[in-house]
Amino acid sequence: MDIADIATNDFVEVDVDQRLSKVRSIFERENPKGIIVTDGDEYAGLVTQRELLQSHVEDSAKVAALMKSAPKVERTTNIREVARMLVEGGTKVAPVFEDDALWGIVTADAILEAVLENLDVLTVDQIYTDDTVTVHESDRVGQAINLLREHGVSRLPVVDDDGQLSGMVTTHDIVDFVVRDMNKATLGERSGDIERMLDLPVYDIMNSPVRTITLGASVRDAVSGMLENSYAGLVVTPEENDRLIAGVLTKTDVLRALSYTEEEHLDVQITNINLLETLSRDEIRESIEAVVQKYQRMSVHHAHVRFHEHKEKLRGTPLIQCQIRIRSDRGQVAGSGEGYGAENAFYVALDKLERNVIEMKDMRSDEIYKGQLLRKLGEL
């Protein structure tokens, strides 16, 4: 299946010289997945709410200062390949081209809607992320923003004094709260006082109650709930306690599962691949395979490598955070690390991954999950 029937030419577009104040008002009014930025008749880039949240750029600046590149796809590109490109580009929307001209966009939601019926073969526990970043009810909004930036996530489960789930705060919630019209009556005496707004407790802006999904539920049911309610992710809980956080399932997790391949070598996906300079995809794959192959009793289905760039630099080289996560028949194993430059960060994370793999005991091989998944997704 390709994306010819799910791509759309109904999208929001602004010129590179448009002011950020205008872009922010578009997000508040229309809440698009992303805004395409053009320079004349040419595609220039993309801007999303995440860029707005991470930006300290003034409203008077031009959108060109904030836009980022996004993967370009053709209308006939295979849907699984587009899913991979969205994951690796760290975006939920990509420009679609036809005969080298910008035709429209394709969104993660459109892909998930197209494959929804095929997702009943998967259960949440097979693809969810168990390494969850949380925030406390009393933590400040500014602290939540820093966590979103540091971990490159779009949502934070909120916990109470007992460590139980009590709410959810998302990038959209914070953008809507912080950058909306300062004259809105709902802000009362806080109008115009950004610092006081950032000092408010998360409890004041979180969403509650929270939509959850259990570990044993089907991915089809989870995605259906996300699409119906315009959620980007759900908190995952064990069957016996819907306030105990087991992890998070996001649309990105599902897209990643869609793009699993049946290649003989280890399937590795890289998020923010544009940060690679001295490393290649093959070098990353071979390094992870070298670690995995030391432990033959461990059956590894897939690996995900994520890079995140911090603002700090050393002699012009940015501080990079790298997280490596592998999915095996014994669950998920991860390793993370930081370093100046992607290569340095990757090998620090790889060393941590190997140490964590060694700690796993009594590993056994089980290819049933991979076989079911690939057979079902092969129908797409």
Side-chain angles (χ1 to χ4, degrees):
M1 178 190 293
D2 60 35
I3 62 165
D5 295 328
I6 63 174
T8 175
N9 54 16
D10 180 17
F11 60 94
V12 181
E13 175 185 338
V14 298
D15 187 79
V16 289
D17 291 327
Q18 187 63 259
R19 302 294 179 183
L20 282 179
S21 57
K22 175 66 173 178
V23 174
R24 288 191 168 106
S25 69
I26 292 174
F27 275 114
E28 292 175 19
R29 184 175 65 253
E30 302 180 38
N31 192 27
K33 300 298 181 183
I35 297 176
I36 296 292
V37 182
T38 55
D39 187 356
D41 294 330
E42 299 294 322
Y43 166 75
L46 175 75
V47 63
T48 68
Q49 280 194 328
R50 179 174 293 182
E51 279 74 57
L52 288 178
L53 178 63
Q54 295 179 343
S55 170
H56 297 289
V57 180
E58 296 293 331
D59 278 357
S60 58
K62 297 179 180 179
V63 69
L66 210 58
M67 70 181 186
K68 68 172 187 177
S69 61
K72 301 178 182 180
V73 300
E74 294 291 330
R75 287 191 68 195
T76 55
T77 305
N78 180 274
I79 198 169
R80 289 170 63 180
E81 179 59 23
V82 176
R84 174 186 286 273
M85 294 170 72
L86 290 177
V87 171
E88 295 196 336
T91 182
K92 298 294 191 303
V93 59
V96 177
F97 288 78
E98 187 171 60
D99 299 327
D100 297 325
L102 178 63
W103 181 88
I105 62 170
V106 62
T107 66
D109 281 3
I111 291 175
L112 294 176
E113 287 174 359
V115 303
L116 185 62
E117 298 306 317
N118 299 84
L119 298 177
D120 58 357
V121 69
L122 291 172
T123 53
V124 170
D125 65 306
Q126 292 173 320
I127 66 171
Y128 83 113
T129 298
D130 62 358
D131 184 16
T132 309
V133 182
T134 62
V135 64
H136 193 275
E137 291 175 338
S138 61
D139 288 341
R140 306 303 173 184
V141 172
Q143 292 174 278
I145 292 176
N146 288 335
L147 285 172
L148 290 167
R149 290 173 176 167
E150 179 182 352
H151 296 278
V153 295
S154 61
R155 62 197 49 253
L156 297 169
V158 183
V159 297
D160 59 20
D161 290 337
D162 296 323
Q164 301 271 321
L165 176 67
S166 65
M168 176 76 79
V169 62
T170 69
T171 299
H172 177 73
D173 297 328
I174 295 177
V175 169
D176 181 59
F177 177 70
V178 175
V179 306
R180 64 190 172 185
D181 186 354
M182 291 301 147
N183 293 319
K184 285 187 178 179
T186 53
L187 292 182
E189 63 181 15
R190 299 189 186 96
S191 178
D193 192 344
I194 288 287
E195 290 187 2
R196 289 186 62 187
M197 291 167 62
L198 296 181
D199 200 42
L200 287 173
V202 168
Y203 182 86
D204 284 9
I205 68 168
M206 74 180 190
N207 294 303
S208 183
V210 184
R211 178 71 179 265
T212 63
I213 194 78
T214 59
L215 285 164
S218 75
V219 173
R220 181 190 182 282
D221 289 344
V223 173
S224 179
M226 284 190 263
L227 293 174
E228 288 175 7
N229 296 282
S230 297
Y231 296 150
L234 300 172
V235 174
V236 180
T237 64
E239 303 280 351
E240 64 276 8
N241 188 343
D242 64 1
R243 293 193 63 204
L244 182 63
I245 302 173
V248 173
L249 178 73
T250 68
K251 291 177 179 176
T252 299
D253 291 322
V254 183
L255 290 174
R256 188 174 298 119
L258 286 176
S259 61
Y260 289 172
T261 66
E262 204 167 359
E263 299 170 353
E264 291 185 2
H265 57 67
L266 180 64
D267 183 35
V268 177
Q269 291 180 349
I270 304 170
T271 298
N272 294 326
I273 197 170
N274 58 298
L275 295 178
L276 296 183
E277 293 181 353
T278 57
L279 276 176
S280 68
R281 181 192 294 275
D282 285 343
E283 288 173 322
I284 289 176
R285 175 181 55 79
E286 290 167 2
S287 296
I288 296 175
E289 282 182 336
V291 169
V292 170
Q293 288 170 358
K294 293 179 181 179
Y295 311 98
Q296 295 299 318
R297 290 176 296 171
M298 182 179 188
S299 178
V300 177
H301 311 308
H302 172 76
H304 175 223
V305 181
R306 178 185 172 276
F307 293 98
H308 173 69
E309 182 178 359
H310 294 293
K311 293 185 180 297
E312 181 181 340
K313 293 186 177 182
L314 178 65
R315 300 186 184 89
T317 302
L319 179 65
I320 302 290
Q321 179 190 56
C322 176
Q323 182 183 66
I324 307 170
R325 181 179 297 277
I326 59 176
R327 298 180 185 273
S328 74
D329 58 320
R330 297 298 292 166
Q332 302 181 43
V333 192
S336 62
E338 292 186 344
Y340 290 98
E343 182 173 7
N344 189 6
F346 171 71
Y347 284 110
V348 172
L350 187 70
D351 181 67
K352 183 62 179 294
L353 174 71
E354 181 165 5
R355 281 183 278 143
N356 289 340
V357 168
I358 291 173
E359 292 178 1
M360 298 183 70
K361 304 296 183 182
D362 300 322
M363 297 182 232
R364 52 190 173 83
S365 179
D366 181 3
E367 289 293 325
I368 295 176
Y369 155 69
K370 183 177 179 182
Q372 288 180 332
L373 173 59
L374 291 175
R375 281 195 299 273
K376 192 69 175 179
L377 296 183
E379 300 173 5
L380 301 181

